[in-house]
Amino acid sequence: MRLSQHVFVASLLSLFGLAASAAPADYGVRVFDFGAAFAPGLPPPDPSPTMFWDAFSNGDPLTGAQMTLDGGVTFTPASYSVLNRGFAPGSETNPTDWAGITYGLGRLTLTAASAQDVGPNNLTPPGLTNYVNRLTLADTGSGPLLRSTSSFEVTSYWDYVAPDAAIPGAVTYYGLRLSDNPGSGGAYNDVLDLAVLVSRDGRPKLWFRRLAFDGVTLTNTNYAIIDLADSLASVGKNLGDAAYVGFQFHYNYFGPGDSDNGVLAAFDVVDAAGSGLLNIHVPRIDSLFDGEDFTRPSVGATWQLAPVPEPGAWALLLLGIAAVGAASRRRGR
């Protein structure tokens, strides 16, 4: 293949990266739960925690009571709504076995086909478009669901799937997110993500990051990027052994200015028999939200794409391809 042909093919792949890739993967959430377990200012355990659990087994995430009180313990009642972006009836399945044991767990399926463009916002890097399929828990009054003055825990378990191979200039990931209070500054400007990520090198990573916007600059801070294949190899396993992956945020609040306040994060990787393969804890991160309320936990998948070039960019690209082709022809004579 001549140089001009190489450039032409590479250019088309960069423009049509999604079309040139294999069919996008589907991701299945098996469990999503959160608990505001401790009263503000009090050390654990408070005797009246609030806890909700969704096993994704009622058949349709758009209707019905999605969150139910976990049985066996007295929990404080609370009313919260479930916000959906990009789900359709039938995206929840009936209960199935988990690791060979019937727990009544279903699956919420997230797909690129039903993902929605979130539109321009503070937390989308310039030049990229985020398509998301996301389930968010929110207070019905649009107030803070979780607060920076109250300890809480949020977890989710997923079927492990390696995310789609990275699209040129973009990434794809799925997992658990905490977002801040839009009432502080009028817009979301902080998120924490625990996710399985595939970036430009095409290898799956366990990823913990903060994305923050200060009104001028969007900053991505990576607290952990752990190569999953390498981590499994260190315990004599490989990617084929991974069946489920779990994410956990735990926020400890012991009082104003207490040095033990902060967010802890953890990843679990489990095989098909339910045996743990990896349990990775990230050291406590302090002051992630600068005193803001966390507001909303969510589970979701994101496909982050580079934009289609404007007409002027098309013209420059085609001129460049033509110039390279002409130079190649001259060298061939």
Side-chain angles (χ1 to χ4, degrees), residues 37-107:
F38 318 124
L42 296 178
D46 174 67
S48 301
T50 298
M51 187 169 183
F52 289 87
W53 161 282
D54 193 346
F56 302 115
S57 58
N58 72 347
D60 185 354
L62 297 178
T63 61
Q66 298 302 303
M67 308 306 295
T68 58
L69 290 175
D70 197 356
V73 181
T74 301
F75 291 107
T76 303
S79 297
Y80 299 109
S81 63
V82 176
L83 307 180
N84 295 273
R85 181 187 291 275
F87 292 102
S91 54
E92 278 194 2
T93 61
N94 292 324
T96 58
D97 285 349
W98 172 284
I101 303 173
T102 301
Y103 290 108
L105 301 180
R107 179 189 290 107

Side-chain angles (χ1 to χ4, degrees), residues 13-33:
L13 287 175
S14 68
L15 291 172
F16 300 106
L18 185 60
S21 304
D26 292 346
Y27 308 116
V29 194
R30 304 300 295 268
V31 177
F32 182 24
D33 68 88

Side-chain angles (χ1 to χ4, degrees), residues 25 27 71 93 154 163 189 202 228-229 250 266 292-293 317 321 324:
Y27 308 116
T93 61
V154 184
N189 57 12
L228 184 53
H250 190 103
E292 297 178 73
D293 289 329
L317 174 67
I321 292 173
V324 171

Side-chain angles (χ1 to χ4, degrees), residues 136-139 143-154 177-184 188-193 208 210 249-253 261-264 285-298:
T136 303
L137 303 176
D139 189 287
L145 172 64
L146 305 172
R147 299 177 182 274
S148 57
T149 55
S150 179
S151 299
F152 63 82
E153 183 174 270
V154 184
R177 167 172 287 189
L178 292 178
S179 57
D180 68 350
N181 185 359
S184 185
Y188 290 108
N189 57 12
D190 278 304
V191 298
L192 297 178
D193 281 311
F208 176 28
R210 176 193 182 189
F249 281 120
H250 190 103
Y251 175 69
N252 279 329
Y253 179 77
N261 293 347
V263 173
L264 298 98
I285 309 296
D286 301 324
S287 305
L288 281 176
F289 280 73
D290 301 319
E292 297 178 73
D293 289 329
F294 292 81
T295 305
R296 293 175 176 177
S298 61

